[in-house]
Amino acid sequence: MTSSAERRGWLSVVSVALGSFVLVLSEFLPIGLLPAIATDLDVPIGTAGLMVVATGLVGAVAAPVVTVATSQLDRRVVLVALTVLLVVADGLAAIAPTFGLLLVARMLLGVGIGGFWAIGAGIAGRLVKPSATIRATSFITAGVSVATVVSLPLGAFVSSLGSWRLGFVIGGVLGLVALVLQLAMLPSIPAVQRVRFGTLGALLRVPRARVGLIAAAFVFAAQFAAYTYVAPFLQQLVGVGPDTVTLALLVFGVAGIVGNFAAGYTLNRSVLGTIGASKFVLAAAVVALPLLAHSVAGVFALLVVWGLVWGALPLGMQTWMSTASPGGSETGLALFVTTIQLAIAAGSVLGGLAVSTVGIAGDFWLSAAIAVVGAVVLVGLGLRRSSAVPQVAAAEVVDPTPTASTPVA
């Protein structure tokens, strides 16, 4: 690959990364806007919350459906179309006169999120040289961490201006920027093979893929069982004010970004080691948080540790699933996206039940237990299956030229 081709490849990666950032930002931004939306559209706050749940559930269904329906299309065309859908969804949400229309807009966004992550998250190997695949993928998945950091402060800022619609306008404008970059930078990326629903079902019979999906379900459920209630933990158990809570979430998010890029290097050494160690450390940090609630400095230190390992886990699990799929990375990532969306919902529900029955500290300990079970499953079964599929350091290793069509095993 020539230096100019390398530069263009990395610019293509940036365009996809921006798309992932805007999608996640658009998904999480309304969480801070729910009270304003409920008041303006005259619906109960609980009903307004459906716009967040609906996006995730539609994304879970859309990931395999979009993968199958578009498997024979040029991936550039599909990614651009999904980014267009993002812009339309945010634009429709910004002008929605009723909650019903706003919910439709959020469901459209769910289609974009599910489809984009199933396809875009594994596209890095088609854009850069094989040895840089994981590093390029870390740029794309960094969009999740960055958007998580930005969404809460931005939501608070938008809410203070008095117009929740501005949040969706910002998402739509950023989506347009991503769209222009993708049109300008993405090369033609021919489809590798046709994917059928039977192909997705066959993946469940691959032991390494089953291990990856189970481990991913545990880690995402554990993460969101605790993280959903980190703000109440800081306010009620640690006893800090809103400004400190915002700072703590910012610290967590920045640590997540650092962890994401650090994992781009550690995964080249050991996929299983990186994921397994991260899960155990996540569990230890979450267990220790209630025990150190009397120390603000101690809590902040643990949030840094938690953020670092959480930043590594999505990229690590994605890499595991990409290398576990004999049908190519998109097959594995479609089921991966569905699994994590459902796990996020399950984790939030379990966390809510734990908080209401045994308190926030009990919820954090439940989260840690779920993470430990997931780590044991991954390490125990992963070691047994490691000889079946080599832990190659690539999410999808193929010839990155526009004419590439054959993945390397």
Side-chain angles (χ1 to χ4, degrees):
M1 181 181 284
T2 65
S3 58
S4 61
E6 283 189 44
R7 284 194 298 271
R8 184 177 180 87
W10 279 102
L11 287 172
S12 298
V13 168
V14 170
S15 73
V16 178
L18 181 58
S20 73
F21 165 77
V22 181
L23 281 164
V24 177
L25 177 68
S26 297
E27 181 178 14
F28 291 149
L29 185 62
I31 293 175
L33 301 174
L34 288 182
I37 292 172
T39 300
D40 189 42
L41 298 182
D42 194 25
V43 296
I45 189 69
T47 302
L50 290 175
M51 61 186 290
V52 179
V53 177
T55 304
L57 293 180
V58 171
V61 175
V65 171
V66 171
T67 300
V68 170
T70 66
S71 63
Q72 292 184 293
L73 298 178
D74 188 301
R75 312 330 276 155
R76 177 183 186 270
V77 173
V78 178
L79 288 175
V80 167
L82 291 170
T83 305
V84 169
L85 188 61
L86 157 68
V87 175
V88 171
D90 277 344
L92 184 60
I95 63 172
T98 65
F99 180 73
L101 190 57
L102 179 58
L103 199 59
V104 170
R106 297 295 296 173
M107 294 172 72
L108 289 177
L109 179 67
V111 175
I113 289 171
F116 194 96
W117 271 105
I119 296 170
I123 209 71
R126 308 288 300 274
L127 301 174
V128 298
K129 59 186 179 181
S131 62
T133 298
I134 286 184
R135 189 155 56 94
T137 304
S138 72
F139 274 83
I140 295 174
T141 57
V144 177
S145 298
V146 177
T148 303
V149 173
V150 172
S151 59
L152 292 179
L154 181 60
F157 174 71
V158 168
S159 184
S160 69
L161 295 178
S163 176
W164 57 268
R165 298 179 187 276
L166 178 61
F168 295 107
V169 172
I170 293 172
V173 170
L174 291 174
L176 280 174
V177 174
L179 178 61
V180 171
L181 283 175
Q182 289 168 15
L183 289 171
M185 296 300 171
L186 280 178
S188 174
I189 310 172
V192 173
Q193 67 174 26
R194 182 174 182 178
V195 178
R196 295 180 172 87
F197 285 109
T199 309
L200 300 177
L203 181 63
L204 296 176
R205 296 193 291 271
V206 178
R208 182 176 169 84
R210 285 202 306 269
V211 171
L213 291 174
I214 293 170
F218 274 107
V219 73
F220 276 86
Q223 169 69 15
F224 283 88
Y227 184 68
T228 301
Y229 299 95
V230 69
F233 162 77
L234 292 167
Q235 291 175 327
Q236 298 175 24
L237 270 66
V238 183
V240 297
D243 291 343
T244 306
V245 170
T246 301
L247 178 61
L249 293 175
L250 180 62
V251 166
F252 178 91
V254 171
I257 297 171
V258 174
N260 176 85
F261 286 112
Y265 293 95
T266 62
L267 286 168
N268 278 311
R269 295 176 178 270
S270 173
V271 175
L272 179 62
T274 298
I275 301 173
S278 295
K279 286 190 174 192
F280 282 118
V281 174
L282 183 150
V286 172
V287 162
L289 276 167
L291 302 177
L292 288 181
H294 61 279
S295 169
V296 175
V299 167
F300 267 72
L302 288 173
L303 286 175
V304 170
V305 174
W306 183 8
L308 284 170
V309 295
W310 172 245
L313 282 167
L315 176 61
M317 293 309 309
Q318 177 187 311
T319 303
W320 179 283
M321 286 305 302
S322 296
T323 60
S325 173
S329 70
E330 287 183 12
T331 305
L333 291 178
L335 291 182
F336 175 71
V337 173
T338 296
T339 299
I340 64 174
Q341 290 285 355
L342 295 177
I344 288 171
S348 298
V349 171
L350 287 173
L353 291 174
V355 168
S356 63
T357 55
V358 296
I360 295 177
D363 170 44
F364 275 45
W365 294 332
L366 170 65
S367 168
I370 296 172
V372 168
V373 172
V376 170
V377 168
L378 179 75
V379 174
L381 296 181
L383 286 173
R384 190 180 306 171
R385 304 296 181 185
S386 60
S387 60
V389 180
Q391 290 186 11
V392 296
E396 184 182 48
V397 182
V398 297
D399 184 346
T401 59
T403 57
S405 61
T406 307
V408 176

